[in-house]
């Protein structure tokens, strides 16, 4: 790290969670490429343990990894970058001599591609519990089935999940959606706030990049769902009286308090199991929204803007390879009028 500058919270966490446990006992001048490779091998082995436990049919096994997420490719790249920077600083200060072992280690450059829960995969999962990949996407029929089940069994969170499934915001962006940025008369919302977690502490902050601040167009069905939710929320507020908190947020708990992102994820996992659907992560609702949009003919540039991607490269590399698996999309899921509005937005009209 640069002299006189404290490490960022993200860098400090990387040092605490990854570098110290795996490399902390090795003197810096003794550190070799093999040590760095062994660290990443250990991280991937732990990832596999987490995925296997999460896919288990045993609730006790799943409980051992509750709230634990695998270390993804982007995080592994940040781990390598943090280590490489620290060693470069030590070389520059002549604390050690030689080459930088972290510079010779490659980490995965791409994210795992989404895999669609087609019928054959669902049948095999039902028989063996096998999940084909770390990123799974429901078909439009499975999305509708889940949302119908959620509307009946989790009406307090159903509107947020519907918004995520059809419009593709991130979890923190949905939890942090401001009431003042929901304009149902114009069929649009603006993403300019999120609720992130540091450990278990929830904090509000702007989106992580300039591209993250964006407008999301709404289809007619989502407008109906959000309008009905506003009516329900007003009833909660009336019942609470003066104890109702003024959070400024659109999606809140029945007592008016903000949703903690981890609680939203936990409720989602439980409901997916109760609905008897093949497992996906809450974040995979976003992937589903993206693949359905591409299959409906939305331009890749427009979709990248709606997802908050800074370039179309990530959007294209991640999603175009799976759109062929989705088949025909029901017009009630992604109506032609919405595609037209997406295209107008992308052209600046």
């Amino acid at each position: 790290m640069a002299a006189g500058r404290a490490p960022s919270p993200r860098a400090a966490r990387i040092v605490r969670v990854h570098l110290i446990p795996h490399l902390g006992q090795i003197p810096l001048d003794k550190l070799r490429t093999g040590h760095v490779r062994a660290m990443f091998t250990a991280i991937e082995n732990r990832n596999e343990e987490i995925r296997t436990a999460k896919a288990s049919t045993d609730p006790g096994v799943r409980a051992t990894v509750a709230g634990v997420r695998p270390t993804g490719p982007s995080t592994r790249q940040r781990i390598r970058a943090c280590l490489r920077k620290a060693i470069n600083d030590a070389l520059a200060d002549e604390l050690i001599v030689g080459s930088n072992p972290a510079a010779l280690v490659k980490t995965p450059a791409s994210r795992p591609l989404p895999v669609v829960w087609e019928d054959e995969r669902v049948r095999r999962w039902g028989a063996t519990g096998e999940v084909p990949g770390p990123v799974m996407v429901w078909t439009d029929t499975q999305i509708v089935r889940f949302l119908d089940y959620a509307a009946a069994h989790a009406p307090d969170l159903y509107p947020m999940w519907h918004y995520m499934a059809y419009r593709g915001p991130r979890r923190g962006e949905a939890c942090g959606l401001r009431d003042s940025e929901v304009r149902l008369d114009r069929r649009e919302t603006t993403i300019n706030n999120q609720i992130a977690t540091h450990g278990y502490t929830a904090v509000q902050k702007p989106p992580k990049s300039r591209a993250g601040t964006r407008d999301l167009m709404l289809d007619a069905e989502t407008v109906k769902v959000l309008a009905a939710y506003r009516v329900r929320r007003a009833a909660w507020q009336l019942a609470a009286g003066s104890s109702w908190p003024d959070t400024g947020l659109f999606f809140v708990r029945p007592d008016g308090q903000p949703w903690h992102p981890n609680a939203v994820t936990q409720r989602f996992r439980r409901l997916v199991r109760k609905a008897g659907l093949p497992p996906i992560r809450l974040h995979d609702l976003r992937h589903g929204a993206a693949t359905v949009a591409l299959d409906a003919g939305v331009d890749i540039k427009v979709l990248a803007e709606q997802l908050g991607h800074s370039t179309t490269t990530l959007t294209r590399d991640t999603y175009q390879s799976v759109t062929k698996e989705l088949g025909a999309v029901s017009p009630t899921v992604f109506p032609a009028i919405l595609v037209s509005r997406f295209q107008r937005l992308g052209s600046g009209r």
Side-chain angles (χ1 to χ4, degrees):
M1 302 300 166
R5 179 181 298 176
S8 67
R10 174 178 286 177
R13 186 177 188 278
I14 286 174
V15 171
R16 183 181 70 255
V17 174
H18 299 288
L19 298 182
I20 290 177
H22 292 288
L23 305 175
Q25 301 303 312
I26 304 171
L28 193 56
D29 62 342
K30 303 295 184 184
L31 185 65
R32 299 292 182 265
T33 301
H35 297 127
V36 181
R37 289 200 180 101
M39 174 181 67
F40 285 113
T41 298
I43 289 173
E44 186 50 44
N45 289 341
R46 176 56 179 160
N47 283 348
E48 188 59 34
E49 292 174 359
I50 293 170
R51 296 187 192 106
T52 300
K54 285 184 179 295
S56 174
T57 57
D58 185 340
V61 174
R62 290 198 303 271
T64 63
V65 291
V68 179
R69 293 186 295 178
T71 302
S74 59
T75 300
R76 295 200 292 273
Q77 289 179 19
R78 286 193 290 269
I79 293 169
R80 175 181 177 270
C82 184
L83 178 61
R84 184 176 180 178
K85 176 65 166 60
I87 297 175
N88 280 340
D89 287 347
L91 288 168
D93 292 339
E94 299 182 339
L95 300 177
I96 58 174
V97 295
S99 60
N100 189 330
L104 303 176
V105 176
K106 303 299 181 184
T107 57
S110 60
R111 301 167 184 261
L113 294 178
V115 177
V116 179
W117 272 118
E118 295 182 324
D119 291 343
E120 295 80 2
R121 291 168 180 151
V122 174
R123 284 193 289 270
R124 181 163 180 79
W125 164 76
T128 67
E130 178 183 326
V131 178
V135 179
M136 300 302 299
V137 174
W138 281 334
T139 64
D140 60 315
T141 301
Q142 292 161 345
I143 292 171
V144 171
R145 180 180 161 192
F146 170 76
L147 291 176
D148 286 346
Y149 190 85
H153 296 85
D156 53 344
L157 275 171
Y158 158 68
M160 184 192 294
W161 290 333
H162 181 106
Y163 178 59
M164 295 176 69
Y166 287 163
R167 308 311 321 125
R170 300 173 177 89
R171 178 186 71 170
E173 294 170 343
C175 290
L177 180 65
R178 291 190 172 115
D179 200 26
S180 59
E181 302 301 338
V182 178
R183 297 172 291 279
L184 298 183
D185 57 329
R186 292 166 54 181
R187 291 191 175 187
E188 68 179 16
T189 61
T190 297
I191 301 295
N192 57 14
N193 185 52
Q194 64 173 327
I195 297 181
T197 56
H198 297 303
Y200 191 77
T201 303
V203 295
Q204 293 193 49
K205 62 181 185 179
K208 62 182 181 179
S209 68
R210 183 176 180 180
T213 298
R214 63 202 188 277
D215 292 334
L216 293 184
M217 307 299 291
L218 304 177
D219 59 282
E221 182 64 24
T222 300
V223 170
K224 290 180 182 178
V225 169
L226 298 187
Y229 166 73
R230 264 189 172 161
V231 173
R232 179 186 290 267
R233 192 187 64 184
W236 293 342
Q237 183 174 358
L238 183 63
S242 60
S243 65
W244 183 265
D246 182 13
T247 65
L249 298 175
F250 184 75
F251 294 116
V252 293
R253 296 176 352 199
D255 62 1
Q257 294 293 335
W259 280 107
H260 192 291
N262 290 0
V264 176
T265 295
Q266 291 165 6
R267 287 276 299 278
F268 176 79
R269 288 173 181 161
R270 288 198 295 269
L271 208 67
V272 170
R273 289 195 293 270
K274 290 180 179 178
L277 285 160
I280 67 169
R281 305 168 306 164
L282 178 60
H283 190 73
D284 294 336
L285 288 180
R286 172 175 164 86
H287 295 316
T291 49
V292 167
L294 278 177
D295 204 56
V298 173
D299 181 79
I300 191 74
K301 183 177 185 298
V302 176
L303 180 60
E305 292 172 354
Q306 293 297 289
L307 293 173
H309 292 165
S310 57
T311 69
T312 61
T313 302
L314 172 61
T315 315
R316 182 179 293 106
D317 290 349
T318 303
Y319 298 117
Q320 280 195 322
S321 64
V322 299
T323 55
K324 61 183 177 60
E325 298 187 61
L326 286 172
V329 177
S330 167
T332 62
V333 173
F334 213 94
I337 187 172
L338 182 59
V339 175
S340 175
R341 293 185 72 187
F342 263 119
Q343 302 290 8
R344 288 201 301 274
L345 179 64
S347 64
R349 294 195 296 271

